[in-house]
């Protein structure tokens, strides 16, 4: 595999994410993309394909609620670790695709579907850890609605991202990780974490609605 320089990778990543340049992002997003670039380069050199990485990340997501069911309270701590590992895999599949020149429309759709299924598994773990079912369902629906509205607006002519909201994928990852860690320390905090997820999704939905209205009116 021919080595891809960071600037070339960042440019390719930007084109795949609606022109959003990771070099100009905040330290969290920039650091996340940097790590994906470094590890993705290693995976590419060892001939690991992007869809294999996506599938591995999704399977790890399915282990999150399973660990809560099978291991009870210690399983909540393990679930937080699994969310982190799955999130790393999610960031790596796109990196491997760019670095190996294997970006495809099918892979893009598969990755998006895997993301939504993975987040569903995390919220099931929230419910199993003690969050009210209605709250977990509402939080998940709000996040899914945001992504659905963005996809439909993109089909209607809006740039792919439209706006970077307060509840993008990295934020949901952090809420899932720290929510599970908090629940391990004190079980009722899982309800608070689910409420935070929902509140951020609601604000994000409003941000996206404004962006869509500006872009498509």
């Amino acid at each position: 595999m021919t080595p891809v320089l960071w600037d070339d990778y960042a440019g390719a990543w930007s084109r795949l994410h609606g022109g959003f340049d990771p070099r100009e992002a905040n330290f969290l997003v920039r650091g996340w993309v940097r790590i994906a670039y470094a590890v993705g380069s290693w995976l590419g050199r060892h001939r690991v394909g992007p869809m294999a990485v996506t599938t591995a990340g999704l399977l790890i997501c399915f282990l999150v609620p399973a660990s809560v069911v099978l291991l009870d309270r210690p399983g909540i701590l393990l679930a937080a670790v699994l969310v982190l590992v799955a999130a790393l895999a999610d960031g790596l599949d796109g990196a491997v695709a760019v670095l190996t020149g294997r970006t495809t429309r099918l892979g893009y759709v598969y990755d998006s579907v895997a993301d939504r299924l993975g987040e569903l598994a995390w919220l099931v773990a929230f419910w199993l850890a003690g969050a009210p079912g209605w709250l977990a369902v509402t939080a998940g629906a709000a996040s899914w609605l945001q992504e659905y509205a963005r996809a439909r607006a993109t089909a209607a002519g809006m740039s792919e991202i439209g706006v970077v909201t307060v509840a993008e994928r990295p934020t949901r990852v952090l809420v899932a990780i720290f929510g599970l860690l908090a629940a391990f320390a004190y079980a009722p905090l899982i309800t608070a974490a689910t409420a935070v997820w929902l509140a951020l999704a609601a604000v994000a939905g409003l941000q996206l609605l404004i962006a869509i209205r500006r872009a498509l009116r």
Side-chain angles (χ1 to χ4, degrees):
M1 184 185 79
T2 303
V4 178
L5 299 177
W6 161 247
D7 284 336
D8 294 333
Y9 171 76
W13 191 95
S14 177
R15 289 190 293 274
L16 291 172
H17 293 81
F20 180 69
D21 193 337
R23 292 166 293 189
E24 299 176 0
N26 59 53
F27 77 95
L28 180 63
V29 175
R30 187 170 62 251
W32 185 276
V33 177
R34 271 280 192 181
I35 292 172
Y37 165 72
V39 180
S41 297
W42 184 88
L43 290 173
R45 288 195 300 270
H46 289 79
R47 302 183 182 277
V48 178
M51 283 198 173
V53 179
T54 301
T55 301
L58 181 57
L59 292 176
I60 293 170
C61 285
F62 290 156
L63 292 176
V64 173
S67 68
V68 176
V69 170
L70 297 176
L71 300 177
D72 198 27
R73 194 156 179 268
I76 296 176
L77 180 59
L78 175 59
V81 176
L82 290 172
V83 170
L84 175 60
V85 175
L88 290 174
D90 175 54
L92 290 175
D93 54 6
V96 172
V98 170
L99 291 164
T100 60
R102 296 168 69 180
T103 55
T104 64
R105 288 177 292 181
L106 177 61
Y108 177 79
V109 172
Y110 179 44
D111 180 58
S112 297
V113 172
D115 286 349
R116 303 291 79 77
L117 292 175
E119 290 173 8
L120 174 62
W122 301 348
L123 287 168
V124 169
F126 274 34
W127 170 61
L128 293 171
W134 68 267
L135 185 58
V137 169
T138 306
S143 293
W144 280 48
L145 180 60
Q146 174 188 339
E147 299 300 339
Y148 176 76
R150 175 174 280 157
R152 297 305 299 165
T154 299
M158 187 182 76
S159 65
E160 186 174 342
I161 290 181
V163 64
V164 179
T165 70
V166 297
E168 298 297 340
R169 175 74 170 179
T171 302
R172 296 195 288 266
V173 168
L174 291 176
V175 172
I177 292 172
F178 287 106
L180 290 166
L181 289 175
F184 175 71
Y186 181 57
L189 288 177
I190 196 64
T191 299
T194 314
V196 168
W197 183 309
L198 175 58
L200 289 172
V203 174
L206 180 60
Q207 289 179 291
L208 186 59
L209 179 62
I210 293 171
I212 291 172
R213 186 172 182 275
R214 287 175 178 171
L216 301 182
R217 67 182 176 182

